[in-house]
Amino acid sequence: MKTRAAVATAPQTDLEIRDVELDAPRADELQVRIVASGVCHTDAIVRDQWYPVPLPSVLGHEGAGIVEAVGSDVQGFKAGDKVVLGPAYCGRCEQCLAGHPMFCVNFYDRNFGGGRADGSKSFSDGSGEISSHFFGQSSFAEHTNVVASGAVKVPDDAPLDLLGPLGCGIMTGSGAVLNVLQPQPGSSVAVFGTGAVGMAGMLAAKAAGATTIIMVDIVPERLEFAKELGATHTVNSKETDPVEAIKEITGGGVEYALDTTGVPPVFAQMTKSLATRGHGALVGAAKLGTEAPFDIGTLLLSGIKISMVVEGDAVPQEFIPRLIALHAAGTFPFDRLTKSYAFEDINQAFADSANGTTLKPIIVF
Ligand code: NAD
Ligand code: ZN
């Protein structure tokens, strides 16, 4: 069928909206009409080739839409179903079977491989094939073929123009907190980076009952907004040493911390700001090969734990409905992070995300 898609062609270059051909969905796929798609920092770094997804490519991995066709092997979906799209996973490897599909041993190939497992690509135009199946979905398109394992059915009255970011950015921050760090009521949490991922982590910490929530960033407006959304303390790490500030606020160190920046010195600050036997998690993405300083001499005695977390270590089919329920209950107001853009304005959405004016852009088709 014919559709329109935003195509990434080269690093640091605007996406091009093109008329493209979409092939038929395979037996394990759904064809989905995308209603809206979030823009994540990961789309920008893949456009810029930090991860070598073959270009040209249709990116986008926070899609929400309506099922239009169902592959012959797919169960549990029918045309007309509303879906939020998460990453693809194989469902059969030891990590998937152990309940950790975001650590699927085939995760990289399925989500960053540039096409299906058999090497085919869904999109093409006069200039040739265009990479598809980014995070199993390539949602910067009016229609796309998605791996059914990544799709999450949501209620008929679900607001699709809002929910796409639950499939990545919002799930990542909130899942790292709720599934991995698991702060107890009354505990202390520090979040480095107040982008959409960090703010989602903050809202989750609040929902979990953490009573000291410290947000660290270098952009004053974002820190102010974090306070408005429920942070108890903010630290501008351009002006103040965040390790000292966190130790002072918490009386010695924070119990749980999240690094959403992927900046090596910030990761080091996170490890040093933790309390004895504290737990820190990294979700911020860095170029492959990036190393961060880690004081193994001093920190041995601290008993701290560090986790590397993909997509909040969630099972999207279980976790996304819980986030929708928390949002409906008013305890997870992630809609406050979002701003809508028309498809034609997708490059403005990328620019506003990069320069910090919009936390979570959502492209509405
Ligand atoms: P974002 O760019 O909106 O937010 C990053 C924040 O970090 C910004 O507010 C920025 O000001 C702040 N920051 C940058 N340098 C800093 C420094 N030196 N000290 C303090 N703060 C600093 O991005 P986002 O959408 O919130 O995503 C955060 C990260 O998570 C990205 O790297 C993204 O690629 C990654 N990500 C990872 C996963 C995963 O599965 N692990 C999933 C989604 C996104
Ligand atoms: Zn993402």
Side-chain angles (χ1 to χ4, degrees):
M1 69 177 290
K2 300 216 178 303
T3 192
R4 287 198 310 157
V7 181
T9 58
Q12 317 283 353
T13 302
D14 278 357
L15 308 182
E16 273 175 32
I17 296 183
R18 293 189 193 166
D19 293 317
V20 297
E21 186 70 28
L22 175 69
D23 68 3
R26 298 292 160 88
D28 63 343
E29 292 179 347
L30 303 171
Q31 195 161 76
V32 175
R33 176 169 71 78
I34 299 291
V35 170
S37 175
V39 173
C40 173
H41 187 78
T42 307
D43 294 305
I45 68 178
V46 170
R47 176 199 63 192
D48 295 344
Q49 296 282 281
W50 288 22
Y51 298 159
V53 173
L55 301 181
S57 176
V58 178
L59 303 175
H61 62 285
E62 294 186 346
I66 296 172
V67 174
E68 291 202 331
V70 181
S72 55
D73 290 351
V74 177
Q75 290 177 351
F77 293 93
K78 60 180 187 321
D81 281 348
K82 286 186 169 180
V83 286
V84 170
L85 305 175
Y89 53 91
C90 78
R92 289 186 289 271
C93 73
E94 61 273 27
Q95 293 304 329
C96 285
L97 293 173
H100 300 279
M102 300 300 100
F103 291 98
C104 171
V105 301
N106 299 303
F107 194 88
Y108 191 89
D109 287 349
R110 295 289 168 109
N111 294 294
F112 297 94
R116 299 188 176 94
D118 68 5
S120 65
K121 299 177 191 292
S122 271
F123 296 109
S124 60
D125 70 0
S127 59
E129 289 192 315
I130 301 169
S131 291
S132 62
H133 293 78
F134 183 56
F135 278 80
Q137 55 180 283
S138 289
S139 59
F140 293 153
E142 289 174 343
H143 295 84
T144 189
N145 293 328
V146 311
V147 180
S149 71
V152 181
K153 199 165 150 176
V154 296
D156 287 341
D157 60 354
L160 290 180
D161 49 358
L162 173 66
L163 298 183
L166 295 181
C168 180
I170 303 300
M171 173 163 81
T172 291
S174 60
V177 170
L178 296 175
N179 299 329
V180 179
L181 297 177
Q182 301 185 1
Q184 294 85 22
S187 60
S188 58
V189 179
V191 178
F192 293 79
T194 58
V197 172
M199 294 288 205
M202 179 191 83
L203 295 175
K206 210 176 148 205
T211 44
T212 302
I213 303 177
I214 307 163
M215 300 299 286
V216 182
D217 205 295
I218 49 181
V219 181
E221 299 77 36
R222 287 197 165 191
L223 290 169
E224 236 156 73
F225 188 47
K227 232 175 180 167
E228 217 180 284
L229 288 183
T232 57
H233 303 77
T234 58
V235 178
N236 184 335
S237 54
K238 233 182 195 166
E239 294 166 354
T240 310
D241 177 349
V243 178
E244 276 173 25
I246 289 170
K247 287 198 164 157
E248 195 178 313
I249 293 163
T250 54
V254 72
E255 293 171 274
Y256 304 96
L258 186 63
D259 177 8
T260 72
T261 72
V263 174
V266 176
F267 178 80
Q269 288 164 354
M270 178 182 78
T271 63
K272 290 178 183 163
S273 67
L274 286 166
T276 303
R277 296 189 60 246
H279 188 177
L282 174 74
V283 300
K287 279 188 180 156
L288 305 180
T290 304
E291 300 199 352
F294 191 82
D295 175 359
I296 61 170
T298 309
L299 288 174
L300 174 67
L301 304 177
S302 72
I304 64 166
K305 190 157 84 176
I306 300 292
S307 298
M308 302 287 152
V309 186
V310 173
E311 299 292 338
D313 194 8
V315 178
Q317 286 73 10
E318 178 270 336
F319 191 61
I320 288 176
R322 280 207 284 142
L323 293 180
I324 294 173
L326 276 175
H327 178 255
T331 40
F332 188 66
F334 75 95
D335 53 288
R336 302 270 316 264
L337 311 176
T338 65
K339 182 178 169 191
S340 301
Y341 292 77
F343 188 28
E344 286 66 29
D345 298 330
I346 191 166
N347 291 303
Q348 190 61 48
F350 271 69
D352 288 356
S353 168
N355 69 28
T357 48
T358 300
L359 281 164
K360 174 54 74 182
I362 298 181
I363 308 302
V364 179
F365 289 84

